[in-house]
């Protein structure tokens, strides 16, 4: 390694020491908290390794592992391709785990991908000072039009609020309950009964999380243990069938649908959906004790590796050990395939008692997923409300009333506003599925929309992985020369000599896998829900978020600690009282309201607000003398006069204009 590199590393160590000193006033874990040294006891409301393990396990093991294997076999057309897709899904999940753990080590806060996208798309003042010419103008353009990370934050907020839901799990729970109630029925249950049970179940779980976060975590833990036990029972039973040479006719499992390229893409999407949940703990990483990244890491590794190995072993047993592929033609009048129901009863004779038993067990599995999802998703949605960028944020950011004498720990509060928002959104999805005739497609629609949009979001997150070292230094006010990519590329090369190339190849292959699913899924012919409808829904949500950002925030005030950057003579910027104002029309300007956006220079991991909401941006609104009804209608609460007085004035203005 060169002397220059040694000198730079010494500077880096010095700045990290200075950053640690700034946190001396905060209560930190004991010495060596991340390396096995003495640690302080966990505070009430903080997550331990078992909590992390349970959140991931409960979301990964839902109903997909019971219903997806037969569907994937039918779509793939052969057991060899089906098991290959499951292996690809496992590798995909492991790579995802390493990527998201890397982000969590730098940004150990709630909201996961929301804070990651916000930070990797921001442009700090230090970046503008180390380049000249075209680079400054390009980065200044990013700051001007993309809001220094606010554009990505808004886009993801719309995607998360609009498409991230627990509808599929609620509907599967209701369906399995009805199967258990009437296992002798030849027709899979559906219709109004399924949706009524789904909404009631969602409401009950939301109430549990509203009244007690600790009760939700306790139920989440025990359900995770039960679900792993169910998988082991099913796996051992499959091995016993192989030992006794008991086979299941293929026509009971596989439909007669011919495989196609789009079907393979749909099968891979179902595999990814079945593994979905590895990211769940990142949404609540801020509830892990500060300075204890090992807690998140151990919970991540144990959950992903254990569940992934169980998935592969169970599918290998199912595909190659217990199915008799010589019996492909069903008897007259028999519908081939499982039609989206669980394959587990086939292992136990497929009689009424087996269907009833596994209907109950599968519904419990779905229940655990709902509990885990509501806990994590509601906290992200509350954080979006706390950002103060969407309508009616004053509702979505609210906490439940304090129910303990200890008022110092914000983590003991439950995200009332986020729970309400999640309930509204999931209930809307459940109602929308009533318009789909095929019940299996209706149940899978909410999950497919979420998985498809998540595959899209993961691409920029993965591609920005090499930027993490720079981001770490940016948040610690490192010297300017350490903010360049070539500096970090040289450091990696000096230390390893070769690992940068495999890292790049791995990231590109990972992104290519996601791109394959995104593109191939929308190419006809279709099986189930039309792929173009999924594309339109996701693209429409993205377009809505982009339009909202440009109509509301693109002409906002932005506070700046250094007003010398940029060119104030180009007609696009003016300095107003130490702030930069970007000229242009917006809905806020029409309503005589200005958004003032400030951004802290760095995070502090030991500050509860930063851990809960994962943002260093503050958005507040300044009202003009003529701020009117539009501001109040969309949740504004700072009007000095009654909104009805504003309506009266608006009516008089309209009458005068007319």
């Amino acid at each position: 390694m060169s002397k220059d590199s040694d000198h730079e590393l010494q500077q880096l160590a010095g700045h990290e020491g200075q950053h640690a000193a700034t946190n001396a006033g905060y209560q930190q874990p004991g010495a060596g908290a991340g390396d096995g040294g003495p640690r302080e006891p966990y505070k009430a409301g903080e997550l331990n390794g078992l909590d992390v393990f349970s959140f991931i396990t409960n979301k990964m093991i839902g109903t997909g592992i019971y219903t997806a294997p037969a569907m994937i076999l039918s779509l793939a057309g052969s057991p060899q391709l089906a098991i290959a897709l499951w292996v690809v899904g496992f590798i995909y999940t492991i790579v995802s785990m390493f990527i998201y753990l890397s982000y969590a080590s730098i940004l150990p806060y709630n909201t996961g991908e929301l804070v990651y996208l916000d930070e990797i798309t921001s442009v700090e003042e230090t970046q503008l000072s180390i380049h000249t010419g075209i680079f400054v103008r390009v980065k200044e353009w990013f700051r001007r039009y993309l809001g220094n990370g606010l554009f990505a934050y808004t886009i993801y907020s719309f995607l998360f609020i609009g498409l991230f839901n627990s509808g599929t799990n609620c509907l599967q729970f209701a369906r399995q309950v009805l199967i258990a109630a009437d296992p002798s029925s030849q027709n899979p249950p559906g219709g109004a009964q399924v949706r009524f049970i789904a909404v009631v179940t969602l409401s009950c779980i939301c109430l549990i999380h509203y009244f007690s976060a600790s009760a939700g975590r306790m139920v989440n833990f025990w359900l995770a243990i039960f679900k792993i036990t169910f998988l082991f029972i099913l796996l051992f039973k499959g091995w016993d069938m192989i030992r006794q040479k008991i086979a299941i006719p293929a026509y009971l499992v596989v439909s007669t649908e011919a495989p196609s390229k789009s079907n393979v893409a749909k099968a891979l999407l179902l595999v990814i959906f079945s593994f979905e949940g590895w990211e769940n703990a990142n949404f609540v990483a801020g509830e892990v004790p500060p300075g204890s990244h090992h807690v998140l890491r151990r919970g991540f590794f144990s959950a992903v590796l254990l569940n992934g190995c169980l998935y592969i072993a169970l599918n290998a047993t199912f595909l190659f050990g217990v199915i008799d592929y010589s019996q492909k033609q069903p008897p007259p009048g028999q519908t081939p395939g499982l039609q989206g129901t669980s394959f587990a009863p086939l292992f136990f004779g497929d009689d009424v008692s087996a269907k009833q038993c596994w209907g109950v067990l599968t519904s419990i599995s779905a229940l655990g997923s709902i509990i885990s999802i509501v806990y994590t998703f509601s906290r992200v949605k509350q954080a979006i409300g706390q950002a103060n960028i969407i309508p009616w944020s004053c509702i979505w950011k609210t906490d439940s009333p304090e129910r303990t004498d200890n008022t110092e720990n914000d983590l003991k509060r439950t995200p009332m506003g986020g729970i309400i928002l999640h309930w509204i959104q999931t209930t809307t999805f459940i109602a929308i599925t009533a318009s789909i005739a095929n019940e299996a497609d209706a149940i899978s629609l909410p999950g497919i929309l979420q998985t498809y949009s998540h595959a899209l979001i993961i691409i920029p997150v993965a591609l920005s992985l090499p930027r993490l070292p720079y981001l770490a230094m940016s948040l610690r006010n490192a010297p300017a020369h350490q903010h360049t990519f070539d500096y970090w590329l040289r450091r990696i090369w000096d230390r390893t000599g070769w690992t940068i190339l495999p890292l790049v190849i791995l990231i590109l292959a990972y992104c290519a896998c996601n791109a394959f699913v995104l593109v191939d899924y929308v190419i006809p012919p279709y099986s189930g829900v039309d792929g173009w409808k999924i594309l339109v829904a996701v693209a429409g949500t993205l377009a809505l978020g982009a339009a909202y950002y440009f109509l509301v925030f693109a002409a906002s005030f932005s506070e700046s600690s250094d007003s010398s950057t940029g060119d104030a003579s180009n007609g696009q910027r003016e300095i107003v009282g130490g702030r930069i104002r970007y000229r242009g029309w917006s809905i806020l300007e029409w309503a005589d309201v200005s958004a003032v956006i400030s951004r802290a220079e760095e995070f502090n991991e030991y500050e509860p607000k930063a851990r809960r909401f994962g943002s260093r941006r503050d958005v507040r609104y300044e009202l003009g003398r003529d701020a009117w009804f539009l501001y109040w209608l969309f949740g504004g609460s700072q009007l000095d006069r009654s909104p009805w007085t504003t309506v009266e004035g608006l009516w008089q203005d309209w009458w005068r204009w007319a």
Side-chain angles (χ1 to χ4, degrees):
M1 185 178 292
S2 65
K3 294 182 179 179
D4 291 338
S5 297
D6 290 336
H7 177 65
E8 290 164 353
L9 290 175
Q10 291 172 2
Q11 285 185 321
L12 173 61
H15 277 273
E16 288 178 340
Q18 292 173 7
H19 176 69
T22 63
N23 291 328
Y26 294 89
Q27 188 175 9
Q28 302 185 20
D35 303 312
R39 308 182 185 98
E40 290 186 352
Y42 285 93
K43 297 179 182 178
E46 292 180 334
L47 303 181
N48 56 38
L50 289 177
D51 291 323
V52 174
F53 172 85
S54 302
F55 280 125
I56 296 175
T57 296
N58 256 323
K59 192 165 186 291
M60 283 185 70
I61 305 177
T63 56
I65 187 59
Y66 299 107
T67 60
M71 298 170 65
I72 291 167
L73 177 59
S74 298
L75 292 168
S78 70
Q80 292 81 10
L81 181 56
I83 195 64
L85 291 176
W86 282 102
V87 172
V88 169
F90 189 26
I91 296 173
Y92 173 93
T93 303
I94 292 175
V95 175
S96 302
M97 175 183 67
F98 280 107
I99 291 174
Y100 276 61
L101 278 175
S102 299
Y103 274 96
S105 67
I106 304 299
L107 299 166
Y109 313 110
N110 280 5
T111 73
E113 294 151 352
L114 184 62
V115 63
Y116 305 159
L117 289 170
D118 185 10
E119 293 299 328
I120 62 180
T121 57
S122 63
V123 179
E124 304 297 336
E125 294 290 342
T126 50
Q127 299 180 54
L128 298 176
S129 64
I130 60 176
H131 290 299
T132 58
I134 188 64
F135 293 101
V136 171
R137 293 192 175 275
V138 169
K139 292 182 176 181
E140 177 62 24
W141 184 91
F142 271 88
R143 286 175 63 88
R144 161 67 179 91
Y145 290 103
L146 302 186
N148 200 21
L150 184 58
F151 177 74
Y153 195 98
T154 305
I155 289 289
Y156 184 85
S157 296
F158 271 74
L159 270 181
F160 198 91
I161 292 174
L163 301 179
F164 281 61
N165 65 95
S166 52
T168 291
N169 291 287
C170 291
L171 291 168
Q172 281 286 15
F173 171 82
R175 192 184 200 195
Q176 296 301 324
V177 166
L178 292 176
I179 289 175
D182 186 15
S184 60
S185 175
Q186 296 298 316
N187 299 318
Q193 273 187 310
V194 167
R195 284 158 185 82
F196 175 76
I197 295 175
V199 172
V200 171
T201 303
L202 174 67
S203 303
C204 292
I205 292 175
C206 286
L207 287 174
I208 290 174
H209 284 301
Y210 168 74
F211 285 111
S212 175
S214 59
R217 289 196 297 270
M218 181 183 67
V219 175
N220 180 68
F221 168 74
W222 285 110
L223 285 177
I225 299 300
F226 290 153
K227 290 161 82 166
I228 292 175
T229 304
F230 299 160
L231 287 188
F232 272 113
I233 291 173
L234 198 58
L235 180 62
F236 293 154
K237 179 59 179 177
W239 291 348
D240 184 62
M241 291 176 65
I242 295 174
R243 183 182 62 83
Q244 299 185 39
K245 299 182 179 179
I246 300 175
I248 300 172
Y251 65 79
L252 291 176
V253 178
V254 186
S255 66
T256 56
E257 184 177 16
S260 65
K261 288 185 178 180
S262 63
N263 283 352
V264 173
K266 183 177 182 180
L268 182 57
L269 195 66
L270 284 175
V271 169
I272 293 175
F273 176 72
S274 299
F275 278 102
E276 194 92 352
W278 47 263
E279 80 291 352
N280 207 33
N282 287 73
F283 292 137
V284 289
E287 297 188 17
V288 172
S292 300
H293 181 66
H294 65 282
V295 172
L296 188 67
R297 184 174 63 249
R298 291 171 185 172
F300 235 117
F301 271 92
S302 57
V304 168
L305 295 180
L306 175 60
N307 297 327
C309 290
L310 277 174
Y311 275 25
I312 297 300
L314 187 57
N315 274 278
T317 302
F318 175 67
L319 295 171
F320 298 100
V322 301
I323 298 179
D324 182 3
Y325 292 97
S326 64
Q327 303 183 52
K328 293 184 178 181
Q329 294 302 320
Q334 167 114 19
T335 303
L338 288 171
Q339 305 301 312
T341 58
S342 173
F343 72 88
L346 296 175
F347 280 35
F348 295 85
D350 202 30
D351 55 12
V352 172
S353 60
K355 291 180 179 179
Q356 193 167 36
C357 177
W358 279 99
V360 172
L361 296 180
T362 308
S363 64
I364 292 175
S365 185
L367 189 67
S369 296
I370 303 169
I371 289 176
S372 178
I373 291 170
V374 173
Y375 186 96
T376 55
F377 282 16
S378 62
R379 278 155 175 76
V380 178
K381 290 173 183 178
Q382 185 196 31
I384 293 172
Q386 183 69 28
N388 220 24
I389 63 171
I390 61 174
W392 306 293
S393 291
C394 58
I395 299 175
W396 317 133
K397 66 184 178 183
T398 54
D399 280 322
S400 64
E402 187 66 39
R403 299 186 183 88
T404 177
D405 293 334
N406 179 15
T407 59
E408 297 180 358
N409 193 351
D410 284 346
L411 297 178
K412 289 184 70 65
R413 301 174 182 174
T414 59
M416 180 175 68
I419 292 172
I420 293 172
L421 184 55
H422 183 79
W423 185 91
I424 293 172
Q425 181 240 13
T426 300
T427 302
T428 302
F429 262 111
I430 291 172
I432 290 173
T433 60
S435 63
I436 301 176
N438 186 290
E439 194 66 22
D441 293 339
I443 290 175
S444 65
L445 174 64
I448 290 176
L449 279 170
Q450 177 182 321
T451 307
Y452 190 89
S453 58
H454 195 216
L456 176 64
I457 289 296
I458 287 174
I459 293 178
V461 173
L463 289 176
S464 301
L465 185 64
R467 194 166 181 259
L468 272 185
Y470 146 74
L471 182 60
M473 293 299 98
S474 175
L475 294 176
R476 289 164 173 79
N477 292 324
H481 72 276
Q482 294 179 1
H483 287 250
T484 58
F485 181 73
D486 59 332
Y487 166 79
W488 286 103
L489 190 64
R490 188 173 70 255
R491 282 198 63 195
I492 295 173
W493 189 265
D494 286 342
R495 284 189 170 186
T496 63
W498 60 273
T499 55
I500 186 65
L501 183 60
L503 176 63
V504 171
I505 293 174
L506 182 64
I507 292 175
L508 292 178
Y510 179 81
C511 294
C513 180
N514 286 281
F516 167 75
V517 172
L518 294 172
V519 174
D520 210 29
Y521 187 80
V522 300
I523 299 175
Y526 302 122
S527 174
V529 180
D530 292 345
W532 68 269
K533 295 179 181 178
I534 301 296
L535 177 63
V536 168
V538 174
T541 306
L542 289 171
L544 183 63
Y548 178 85
Y549 168 79
F550 284 110
L551 288 175
V552 175
F553 293 111
S556 299
F557 278 107
S558 179
E559 289 191 357
S560 173
S561 58
D562 181 7
S563 60
S564 63
T565 57
D567 183 5
S569 63
N570 59 10
Q572 299 298 314
R573 298 157 44 113
E574 62 175 327
I575 308 301
V576 182
R579 302 187 187 120
I580 300 173
R581 187 186 194 281
Y582 294 110
R583 296 172 178 173
W585 184 89
S586 73
I587 291 179
L588 290 179
E589 184 176 349
W590 183 37
D592 200 19
V593 177
S594 298
V596 181
I597 305 170
S598 59
R599 189 179 177 91
E601 292 185 357
E602 60 181 338
F603 279 106
N604 193 306
E605 183 180 354
Y606 299 92
E607 184 181 353
K609 183 177 179 181
R611 291 167 57 197
R612 285 188 70 195
F613 304 122
S615 178
R616 53 196 176 106
R617 182 185 295 105
D618 179 66
V619 180
R620 64 184 186 275
Y621 297 94
E622 294 181 350
L623 309 185
R625 297 182 59 184
D626 298 324
W628 56 289
F629 180 71
L630 184 67
Y631 169 75
W632 172 82
L633 181 65
F634 287 95
S637 58
Q638 301 176 23
L639 285 177
D640 295 330
R641 56 189 182 279
S642 165
W644 308 116
T645 305
T646 307
V647 172
E648 182 181 358
L650 179 63
W651 172 256
Q652 292 175 355
D653 290 343
W654 173 261
W655 184 259
R656 184 174 62 254
W657 294 337

